[in-house]
Amino acid sequence: SSGINAEYGEPSLVDACATHVNQLFQDNPSPDFGSDGKCEFPTGTKLDDVTLHETLIDAVCQLLDTKHIVLTQSDAWCKAGKTDFTDNSNNDQRFHMDYGNNTWLHPAPWHRPENVAAIVYLADTGVTGGGTAVCKRESDNDELYQEPYINMPGLGGFSFYNNRKSAEQYFQEKHPEVAALRQKLYDREVIPVYRRGDVLLYRYDVWHRGTPVKPGHRRSVINLAWSARAAAEWNLCWNPAWTKWNYYGKGEGVLTRISPKQRALIGVPEPGHECWTEQRVRGFGARYPGLDIQPYLDKIKTT
């Protein structure tokens, strides 16, 4: 994990995000996962500064070995301590990989990754609980990381259970050979203590699971994900289109103040792209008063 405690005046960026999310969910924590649209990008709040943080962009580009990435998920939410351990509760999750509901495909080979996901912690899990458990891949020969990755609920014809106990009981009763393999995930799991501002960067083909928040506590996070642009056709966007809430100022406000590098993350071609003509660049500027179009004008391709 790494940190993202960049200061944008007082209070810090992370503190401002934590305050916003905690207040928003003060009376109603998320029932399962996500904010039901309340904190999906663009929000018009400091959450957008985390989503488009250039430190994160640079880290993802390094991990995917490309300068060309797109944002595929941005949502903040709050998980509360509770006693719900029913079959599909996310309170105490089963080990899983995230690719199952982010693409129709199987993940690419391990050494050619296409995605990065992140959890930005807005709470200290040493206090709240709810830290994400992970099972690290140890080598190319690691028996827990042999393709195809189907030994989990909801994939490969197996029934879906979100709850850890329900899922593992199902495998023990119906597929004992899979249950034996999955027990090794729990034997090797690590639950780091995440501090406010820490970021867990992982992949869609990493074994992980959510753990319970302590009774009487809440744990807020921002979930983010990116895809290499070359693989974006089949690595789908979790959120509705970033432009869905245009006309109301949130998206326009963000787009006007961010850099071309950040705009490229959410679907605006970079300066020098073949789509840009002088006419189109000037139309772009007219649509968003105050947006600096000069970087786009400077790199218009001429024939």
Side-chain angles (χ1 to χ4, degrees), residues 240-272:
W242 309 125
T243 54
K244 180 178 179 179
W245 298 111
N246 281 359
Y247 307 132
Y248 301 98
K250 291 180 180 179
E252 293 89 340
V254 170
L255 200 72
T256 300
R257 65 180 174 81
I258 61 178
S259 67
K261 178 179 179 179
Q262 292 169 306
R263 292 186 194 115
L265 194 69
I266 55 174
V268 178
E270 295 166 285

Side-chain angles (χ1 to χ4, degrees), residues 201-215:
L201 294 163
Y202 64 104
R203 300 157 47 137
Y204 286 167
D205 51 358
V206 165
W207 289 111
H208 68 288
R209 70 185 193 91
T211 65
V213 173
K214 296 177 183 178

Side-chain angles (χ1 to χ4, degrees), residues 224-303:
L224 301 168
W226 306 262
S227 170
R229 190 178 300 163
E233 181 180 350
W234 52 88
N235 289 291
L236 306 180
C237 191
W238 179 279
N239 292 61
W242 309 125
T243 54
K244 180 178 179 179
W245 298 111
N246 281 359
Y247 307 132
Y248 301 98
K250 291 180 180 179
E252 293 89 340
V254 170
L255 200 72
T256 300
R257 65 180 174 81
I258 61 178
S259 67
K261 178 179 179 179
Q262 292 169 306
R263 292 186 194 115
L265 194 69
I266 55 174
V268 178
E270 295 166 285
H273 190 278
E274 61 185 11
C275 86
W276 293 120
T277 62
E278 181 175 354
Q279 181 181 12
R280 196 167 196 182
V281 169
R282 295 197 182 281
F284 184 51
R287 178 178 176 180
Y288 302 103
L291 189 150
D292 180 12
I293 61 172
Q294 197 59 47
Y296 300 91
L297 288 173
D298 289 344
K299 291 194 175 182
I300 290 175
K301 293 183 177 180
T302 58
T303 56

Side-chain angles (χ1 to χ4, degrees), residues 4-226:
I4 182 167
N5 277 303
E7 296 290 331
Y8 281 66
E10 291 296 335
S12 73
L13 173 59
V14 170
D15 287 345
C17 291
T19 298
H20 175 74
V21 175
N22 290 337
Q23 288 177 346
L24 193 62
F25 292 98
Q26 184 173 1
D27 298 322
N28 254 329
S30 304
D32 184 76
F33 175 90
S35 69
D36 198 24
K38 298 182 184 70
C39 293
E40 293 177 351
F41 177 85
T43 64
T45 72
K46 289 293 187 182
L47 292 171
D48 296 339
D49 291 335
V50 173
T51 295
L52 301 173
H53 204 291
E54 293 206 11
T55 299
L56 288 174
I57 296 174
D58 291 343
V60 174
C61 288
Q62 179 180 354
L63 290 169
L64 295 181
D65 194 25
T66 179
K67 294 181 179 180
H68 306 294
I69 62 172
V70 294
L71 183 70
T72 58
Q73 183 184 36
S74 173
D75 198 7
W77 60 292
C78 178
K79 181 177 180 179
K82 54 187 177 181
T83 58
D84 180 6
F85 295 97
T86 54
D87 286 351
N88 287 321
S89 168
N90 80 335
N91 189 25
D92 188 20
Q93 283 190 314
R94 83 287 179 216
F95 260 109
H96 64 283
M97 296 178 176
D98 277 352
Y99 81 88
N101 56 1
N102 284 281
T103 178
W104 294 108
L105 307 187
H106 186 276
W110 181 264
H111 297 290
R112 287 164 39 203
E114 296 176 343
N115 309 92
V116 174
I119 302 174
V120 181
Y121 288 85
L122 303 179
D124 183 344
T125 64
V127 175
T128 65
T132 304
V134 295
C135 181
K136 186 177 71 171
R137 183 180 185 271
E138 295 183 340
S139 71
D140 286 348
N141 298 319
D142 191 331
E143 65 176 325
L144 301 181
Y145 279 91
Q146 296 303 305
E147 297 186 19
Y149 303 136
I150 59 170
N151 293 317
M152 66 194 89
L155 297 181
F158 297 130
S159 297
F160 179 74
Y161 298 91
N162 200 355
N163 174 256
R164 175 182 60 84
K165 184 176 180 180
S166 302
E168 304 319 323
Q169 183 176 348
Y170 161 77
F171 282 116
Q172 288 166 11
E173 293 176 356
K174 304 290 187 180
H175 306 279
E177 72 289 351
V178 176
L181 188 72
R182 288 182 58 81
Q183 181 56 48
K184 295 178 183 180
L185 293 169
Y186 296 96
D187 293 341
R188 279 174 43 185
E189 82 171 0
V190 176
I191 308 177
V193 176
Y194 304 95
R195 299 165 300 172
R196 178 181 286 196
D198 280 352
V199 183
L200 173 65
L201 294 163
Y202 64 104
R203 300 157 47 137
Y204 286 167
D205 51 358
V206 165
W207 289 111
H208 68 288
R209 70 185 193 91
T211 65
V213 173
K214 296 177 183 178
H217 290 272
R218 300 181 181 196
R219 185 227 58 188
S220 297
V221 298
I222 307 171
N223 280 91
L224 301 168
W226 306 262

